Amino acid sequence: MPTKFVVVLGSLMSGLGKGIVTSSILRILDFYGYNVLPLKFDGYLNYDCGTMNPYRHGEVFVFDDKSEVDMDFGMYERFLGKNLTGDLSITGGKVFSEIIAKERRGAYLGRDIQIVPHLTNLIINKIEGVAKRKNLDVMVIEVGGTVGDIENGYFIEAMRQLALRNKVVFVDVTYIPVMSAVGEQKTKPTQLALRSIMQAGINPDFVFCRAENGLNDETREKLALFANLPKSRIIEDCTQETLYSLPPYFMKQRFDTVLIKELGLERRKLNRKALKEWNSRLENLVRPKDKLDIAIVGKYTNLKDAYASVKEALVHAGAEVSAGINLKWIESEDLEKANLADSLKVDGIVVPGGFGNRGIEGKIKAIRYARENGIPYLGLCLGMQLMAIEYARNVCGIEGANSTEFNKNAKDKIVDIMPSQLKVKLKGATMRLGSWKCKITSKDTIAYAAYGGKYALERHRHRYEVNNRYRDILQKNGAVISGVTPDNKLVEFFEWKGSFGIGTQAHPELKSKFGHPAPLFLSFVKAAREYRSRSQ
Ligand code: GLN
């Protein structure tokens, strides 16, 4: 059977959770055993989001295949439980550069190139091509931005045309405000939004309504009328206890049955076992047996999106062992002058990835405090590099230890630019990216216990590395280099002895899924739980 499509649009404003609706649809269809993948369009003219900063864009997510993609892909992977690929990410930058390259090759000789039909056809062919290659039953396409934006208009037109030759179900995610004075749910903004979608030649098949305190029946009825839909197609989308509660919540509204019927898919049995497992993890999240305080020491802590995968990886590990994770976001610059015993009164400390030198000394202080007080520590990428610098300074007595990223003229370059990076001039997609194999050097390590074997396969995004010239002195002073690349050229895991302390040059948080937590995060959360029970 040819692939069917679900296209998720947003109306009125951003931040309504289109990504979560998309992820929930993926999860639901997977519960029925359909082969389903997401695809996302982002309207910006960047080729990918690799060169954007977290303030603009939140976290940059990385796939095994080295693609740097929108953070929504992280959510899709966490819900769907599959590792995705770069061809599922389409941006304005990609389609325009592709069409111009084609024009230069002479593919349109004699013609002026137009948004319709040339660009729209290119988009449709791309999408159909991926769907076919991956042999999908259903592809769920999220259109970034809001209907009416100038950036996504041509893509929405392409979606209208996609529906002329394929089965496409359109979903609109909208917002139903409540005027506090009258306490009444207002449908007028959505009525207008529906009209603008219809003007684009599209009639939504489902309307997901973000609303406070449930969707009134009257609201449902009104919207159904204006959307030309039966009431069963107006779906309540209120904030739930956790993000992972959403798929079962939508299923309770019979969204699964109605969607599968509308798509015209052959009927399949719901995988009750998988749904039960999902729900039992949810129960662990909502009513955990233990509670843990975990500090994330970073520099974008007022923008939690910058660390979305780290946060979720902790949640996944917590759900596995019924531990509720209470995150304490600590701005590393504040630690430079703070009383650490107050600020770091926690069961575990994470220093996540980062770039540039702001807040570095605060992070190093936090790492030292973790090591000297036996608080479980997990260092991610930059968090491992700083672990090596802290160890060099405070254990090996190398006072000037630093990274050339923060001080080009550092006396002791414990962390230095990778030789392969020296010749790199361009910025886009030039870091050490994607999945790399790591050899675990000894059985008697945190890394070996976590991965249960000799190899780890994790995703990377960095330019600097632990300087091999300092390996000996670090090890002579008790540090453990527990993981290296198979050619032994790069340090991948760094540990200290005596308490739980491990850093990794990779970003294991990027592969963590709900139901399949990242091994290092699971070990870390277990260590934090032991630490808490010991210190109580
Ligand atoms: N800035 C460091 C580097 O480029 C660490 C990067 C990261 O934490 N992702 O190597």
Side-chain angles (χ1 to χ4, degrees):
M1 245 209 267
T3 303
K4 320 269 175 137
F5 298 87
V6 178
V7 174
V8 181
L9 305 167
S11 48
L12 293 179
M13 59 197 204
S14 61
L16 289 181
K18 259 184 304 145
I20 299 170
V21 168
T22 307
S23 304
S24 299
I25 297 174
L26 293 166
R27 177 81 267 48
I28 289 169
L29 291 170
D30 188 75
F31 275 146
Y32 281 90
Y34 296 110
N35 186 18
V36 58
L37 285 179
L39 181 138
K40 185 170 185 215
F41 171 75
D42 283 292
Y44 44 72
L45 295 179
N46 304 55
Y47 191 84
D48 59 32
C49 63
T51 56
M52 291 186 222
N53 80 32
Y55 281 115
R56 282 296 300 172
H57 190 265
E59 163 187 79
V60 175
F61 199 79
V62 184
F63 288 151
D64 290 341
D65 70 3
K66 302 180 170 36
S67 312
E68 296 175 284
V69 293
D70 185 86
M71 61 184 291
D72 274 336
F73 282 95
M75 200 173 337
Y76 306 155
E77 283 202 346
R78 295 191 279 273
F79 272 68
L80 185 58
K82 290 184 188 167
N83 293 329
L84 303 175
T85 48
D87 49 359
L88 302 171
S89 165
I90 298 187
T91 63
K94 276 187 196 172
V95 291
F96 281 112
S97 58
E98 195 171 322
I99 201 158
I100 290 170
K102 266 180 97 175
E103 185 272 335
R104 293 288 85 184
R105 285 199 305 271
Y108 304 103
L109 278 186
R111 271 284 329 223
D112 50 330
I113 309 169
Q114 295 182 291
I115 299 279
V116 183
H118 302 104
L119 195 67
T120 43
N121 279 347
L122 183 132
I123 291 168
I124 295 170
N125 291 338
K126 231 173 158 48
I127 290 176
E128 288 177 343
V130 181
K132 199 164 176 201
R133 259 197 327 276
K134 310 246 181 196
N135 199 14
L136 298 184
D137 295 317
V138 186
M139 173 180 270
V140 185
I141 302 174
E142 179 182 345
V143 183
T146 311
V147 178
D149 289 351
I150 210 159
E151 283 88 357
N152 61 17
Y154 62 87
F155 191 86
I156 293 176
E157 168 58 15
M159 294 301 94
R160 185 190 71 81
Q161 293 183 25
L162 182 75
L164 300 176
R165 49 195 228 207
N166 296 279
K167 176 66 195 174
V168 180
V169 166
F170 288 94
V171 170
D172 178 41
V173 182
T174 187
Y175 179 58
I176 311 294
V178 175
M179 292 291 286
S180 56
V182 267
E184 191 190 340
Q185 288 185 333
K186 291 294 190 188
T187 60
K188 189 57 66 68
T190 297
Q191 289 180 36
L192 295 174
L194 285 170
R195 220 173 283 166
S196 75
I197 299 178
M198 287 170 189
Q199 250 167 22
I202 290 168
N203 197 118
D205 299 283
F206 291 91
V207 181
F208 277 65
C209 302
R210 294 283 292 155
E212 311 292 333
N213 310 321
L215 198 63
N216 296 340
D217 209 44
E218 208 182 309
T219 310
R220 225 182 256 260
E221 213 149 285
K222 238 185 194 172
L223 286 178
L225 179 70
F226 282 101
N228 308 314
L229 292 173
K231 256 166 64 181
S232 58
R233 307 291 190 95
I234 311 296
I235 309 291
E236 178 191 274
D237 181 6
C238 297
T239 305
Q240 300 297 297
E241 284 163 308
T242 83
L243 295 182
Y244 303 100
S245 312
L246 283 160
Y249 162 64
F250 294 142
M251 288 167 82
K252 275 197 199 103
Q253 300 179 55
R254 292 180 40 82
F255 171 65
D256 48 341
T257 319
V258 186
L259 173 69
I260 289 167
K261 202 158 160 220
E262 178 59 41
L263 281 168
L265 292 165
E266 59 168 78
R267 286 181 69 87
R268 295 215 188 140
K269 263 226 190 95
L270 171 67
N271 183 343
R272 290 190 187 282
K273 190 167 157 266
L275 179 61
K276 216 170 133 199
E277 277 172 20
W278 185 276
N279 283 331
S280 88
R281 285 198 180 87
L282 262 185
E283 183 62 22
N284 285 352
L285 275 191
V286 180
R287 273 168 283 276
K289 285 202 209 79
D290 299 308
K291 284 230 159 69
L292 298 175
D293 295 318
I294 304 290
I296 297 189
V297 182
K299 74 166 173 179
Y300 302 109
T301 54
N302 55 354
L303 187 91
K304 315 271 182 301
D305 272 0
Y307 303 118
S309 293
V310 177
K311 174 175 169 247
E312 293 307 315
L314 289 167
V315 168
H316 301 160
E320 219 54 25
V321 296
S322 196
I325 309 290
N326 176 30
L327 286 180
K328 201 169 164 188
W329 298 93
I330 298 181
E331 191 61 37
S332 48
E333 266 184 322
D334 297 345
L335 278 189
E336 286 166 16
K337 321 176 261 304
N339 174 350
L340 296 189
D342 290 339
S343 310
L344 295 175
K345 203 173 172 316
V346 290
D347 308 308
I349 297 175
V350 179
V351 172
F355 296 83
N357 59 5
R358 184 167 72 78
I360 288 300
E361 291 305 320
K363 290 179 189 174
I364 292 178
K365 268 180 99 174
I367 297 169
R368 179 179 194 168
Y369 188 81
R371 184 177 53 75
E372 291 181 345
N373 294 281
I375 303 173
Y377 172 74
L378 177 62
L380 305 167
C381 200
L382 177 72
M384 179 194 92
Q385 297 172 357
L386 297 181
M387 195 182 175
I389 293 171
E390 187 281 322
Y391 206 88
R393 285 189 195 171
N394 302 318
V395 180
C396 310
I398 308 174
E399 266 170 47
N402 214 333
S403 163
T404 45
E405 183 179 7
F406 321 131
N407 177 4
K408 279 212 165 42
N409 307 314
K411 192 158 148 273
D412 287 287
K413 301 173 173 62
I414 303 294
V415 175
D416 202 359
I417 189 113
M418 285 183 280
S420 57
Q421 287 288 324
L422 279 171
K423 51 183 186 301
V424 170
K425 292 278 178 297
L426 300 175
K427 289 287 181 219
T430 54
M431 284 189 239
R432 178 175 180 238
L433 290 166
S435 183
W436 291 84
K437 196 171 177 181
C438 156
K439 194 172 80 189
I440 295 172
T441 53
S442 139
K443 281 195 173 172
D444 182 24
T445 57
I446 298 171
Y448 191 91
Y451 285 92
K454 281 197 201 133
Y455 290 98
L457 209 58
E458 297 288 6
R459 297 176 182 173
H460 292 68
R461 184 170 188 262
H462 67 116
R463 291 191 202 278
Y464 293 80
E465 60 160 327
V466 171
N467 188 340
N468 290 332
R469 276 195 262 134
Y470 290 87
R471 276 197 202 183
D472 269 356
I473 181 152
L474 287 162
Q475 282 171 311
K476 274 197 192 113
N477 282 278
V480 181
I481 291 172
S482 55
V484 290
T485 45
D487 61 8
N488 194 24
K489 282 196 176 143
L490 299 176
V491 172
E492 292 277 26
F493 289 123
F494 187 94
E495 303 182 17
W496 60 55
K497 287 186 199 143
S499 64
F500 187 99
I502 181 161
T504 164
Q505 188 56 76
H507 288 280
E509 68 275 18
L510 298 179
K511 272 174 65 176
S512 184
K513 318 272 192 292
F514 190 60
H516 293 280
L520 267 194
F521 279 78
L522 187 58
S523 298
F524 170 69
V525 162
K526 285 181 179 164
R529 196 173 52 171
E530 271 165 39
Y531 175 83
R532 188 180 179 102
S533 65
R534 258 186 286 125
S535 51
Q536 260 171 357

